[in-house]
Amino acid sequence: MHIRNPRTGQADYTISPPNPAQITDLVNQFRLAQIDWLALGVEGRVEAMQAWKNALERYKEAIIDALTTDTGRRNETLLELDVVLKSIDRWCGIARQFFAPPSQRVSSIPFISIEQDLVPYAVVGVISPWNFPLLLSVIDTIPALLAGCAVVVKPSEVTPRFIRPLLQTIAEVPALAKVFTYLEGAGETGAALVESCDLICFTGSTATGKRVYKQASERFVPVFLELGGKDAALVFEGADLDRASSALLWGSVVNTGQSCLSIERIYVQDTIYEEFVKRLIDKTEEIKLAYPTVSDGHLGPVISDKQVDIINEHLVDAIAKGAILQTGEPGCVKLGGGHYCRPTVLTNVNHSMKVMTDETFGPVMPIMPFRDEDEAIALANGTIYGLSGAVFAGNTEEAIRIARRMQCGAVSINDAALTAIMHEGEKNSFKLSGIGGTRMGPSAIKRFMRQKAYLIKTAGIPSPWWFG
Ligand code: NAD
């Protein structure tokens, strides 16, 4: 399978996906190896994860180079690896606290005690997208491994170059290499994982998420879906407009808008609308494309060529329906073989336009005025998605009160897209943005374990409910 380079447009890399029978064999082999992994205990697993972290440090340059070629961007890649390294330490700390030695407790029946146990799922399949190829391939993997599961990861076929250096880091930790690997491949490889693993963590589009959910339901395999979004930001009279415009510019266009948690729609109270739009346009015009070299400017290319078509379709549709292009371009521009999208501000938009209802996944900022809080909430909640959102208001209390009415799993208060940075708040996806327990915060580790109870007769007496 040939892979396109997002900066040059050339197919300069190939991958060789395993066939479904090879995947079944691998999963069966991991299922056996997982028994020893679990027997290592949490301290043994923490030790292996720390050894892996050291290996990641040693291969840092090779991983960064591969990820930079995969995504066509560098600054976000440096941040991505840094976040991953820090998350290993955070999860090791959480896992240590989580696995307290079991203790018996008395029940409501005096001669029956209860001991609780946790049994990890044997093999977890992780399927991840292209927008943060490394981070989203390990965000569920690290807690799953620490919980005692074996893990097979299938990252996106759009950005597979980092897999080879990553496999070298895993090979450096023999205990881990028996229960942790990455597979190259596209949808078929992902589907084969869904067919063979004991639990699936899927991050990707809502359309694929629905397919994965249906397939897994045949085997009663638990699935955690982290899907698309159409995050709304609400800016109320009384908000600090300078801060709101800076935060929303960053939250909308960073990483070329290719984040599930990007701000995709901005609603501004009519009394401050003109002033907000003016400030946002001025700041947007300062943002430059990362071209001709990866170290120039701010925004790299659109990574996936399929996404280029979606961004262009949304812009064409909006402009045809009356949207006004305040700054930016009416579509992606081709530079040196790559497709780039200039940060784009649209006004005169409404919910008949795809740019207000469907996930754009580009640096596009459609802004719409609202009269009062009820209208703002109706607009923000008028979506099939419910990932996250943002509220800017005169004070924190007012902003939180408004945020409580938003149908989504996390709301940044007087800032934007904070879930990109802060992974400690526990959150669920609402509506078609996903299903399953929180992937963030300490309780995320529980998702990888089933609870088991030992019910212990503690007195040598007949139980009163026995026959005769
Ligand atoms: P996608 O759904 O096209 O692909 C995601 C992964 O699924 C890829 O690895 C792909 O090969 C695999 N896949 C495709 N068909 C499959 C099948 N039938 N069975 C199993 N696996 C299959 O998504 P994408 O375009 O790679 O990623 C962008 C999407 O991801 C956006 O919608 C974005 O919002 C979403 N996303 C969500 C989060 C989140 O945390 N909620 C984070 C990042 C991205």
Side-chain angles (χ1 to χ4, degrees), residues 163-179:
I163 295 176
R164 289 175 197 166
L166 210 78
L167 283 172
Q168 289 179 292
T169 65
I170 297 172
E172 298 234 336
V173 188
L176 199 56
K178 294 189 187 108
V179 289

Side-chain angles (χ1 to χ4, degrees), residues 74-348:
R74 194 161 178 90
N75 287 343
E76 293 88 341
T77 297
L78 299 176
L79 191 66
E80 187 178 358
L81 185 58
D82 194 46
V83 167
V84 167
L85 292 171
K86 289 198 177 105
S87 78
I88 295 176
D89 288 339
R90 191 176 73 247
W91 280 117
C92 287
I94 291 172
R96 278 201 175 105
Q97 285 174 6
F98 193 77
F99 288 99
S103 61
Q104 285 185 16
R105 65 182 159 87
V106 290
S107 71
S108 58
I109 300 174
F111 53 85
I112 305 276
S113 294
I114 298 172
E115 190 176 307
Q116 290 292 159
D117 202 0
L118 292 166
V119 184
Y121 289 89
V123 186
V124 172
V126 172
I127 301 171
S128 54
W130 47 261
N131 58 321
F132 285 97
L134 172 66
L135 174 65
L136 293 170
S137 73
V138 299
I139 193 166
D140 294 310
T141 299
I142 295 168
L145 285 166
L146 283 163
C149 312
V151 181
V152 184
V153 187
K154 206 296 288 171
S156 171
E157 67 280 16
V158 178
T159 49
R161 294 169 185 80
F162 77 103
I163 295 176
R164 289 175 197 166
L166 210 78
L167 283 172
Q168 289 179 292
T169 65
I170 297 172
E172 298 234 336
V173 188
L176 199 56
K178 294 189 187 108
V179 289
F180 177 31
T181 196
Y182 274 61
L183 300 181
E184 295 178 338
E188 266 181 24
T189 311
L193 269 193
V194 179
E195 210 46 53
S196 50
C197 290
D198 306 308
L199 183 152
I200 294 292
C201 296
F202 174 86
T203 307
S205 64
T206 297
T208 313
K210 284 182 183 177
R211 281 201 285 280
V212 167
Y213 200 51
K214 275 189 198 140
Q215 188 190 348
S217 71
E218 287 293 325
R219 297 173 51 236
F220 288 171
V221 167
V223 182
F224 306 134
L225 300 176
E226 300 282 350
L227 309 176
K230 191 73 192 168
D231 286 5
L234 303 179
V235 186
F236 284 84
E237 196 177 70
D240 179 327
L241 290 195
D242 194 41
R243 261 193 278 158
S245 52
S246 293
L248 288 172
L249 174 63
W250 182 84
S252 305
V253 314
V254 68
N255 196 35
T256 313
Q258 301 165 121
S259 305
C260 55
L261 46 77
S262 266
I263 298 296
E264 293 242 337
R265 307 174 279 153
I266 303 175
Y267 301 98
V268 184
Q269 196 149 25
D270 48 11
T271 47
I272 52 165
Y273 177 79
E274 295 296 337
E275 177 59 23
F276 177 86
V277 170
K278 188 179 160 318
R279 286 185 195 226
L280 188 64
I281 293 170
D282 288 347
K283 290 179 185 178
T284 300
E285 287 174 349
E286 300 290 310
I287 303 295
K288 304 278 176 260
L289 299 180
Y291 185 83
T293 78
V294 75
S295 329
D296 291 313
H298 307 96
L299 304 189
V302 178
I303 298 168
S304 155
D305 50 357
K306 285 193 193 136
Q307 204 64 43
V308 175
D309 295 339
I310 296 172
I311 295 171
N312 287 343
E313 184 191 327
H314 285 199
L315 290 172
V316 167
D317 172 73
I319 291 165
K321 289 175 179 160
I324 299 168
L325 184 73
Q326 296 285 355
T327 185
E329 304 266 354
C332 297
V333 289
K334 202 163 181 193
L335 297 169
H339 297 278
Y340 291 77
C341 185
R342 292 194 198 281
T344 298
V345 175
L346 294 173
T347 56
N348 206 33

Side-chain angles (χ1 to χ4, degrees), residues 235-240 243 391-399 402 414:
V235 186
F236 284 84
E237 196 177 70
D240 179 327
R243 261 193 278 158
V391 178
F392 294 80
N395 59 63
T396 308
E397 293 68 34
E398 183 191 359
I402 295 162
N414 293 326

Side-chain angles (χ1 to χ4, degrees), residues 47-64:
E47 201 180 303
M49 295 305 281
Q50 288 296 324
W52 184 48
K53 184 185 162 202
N54 293 337
L56 287 169
E57 297 269 16
R58 287 195 295 279
Y59 284 81
K60 206 170 178 168
E61 283 313 311
I63 296 169
I64 286 172

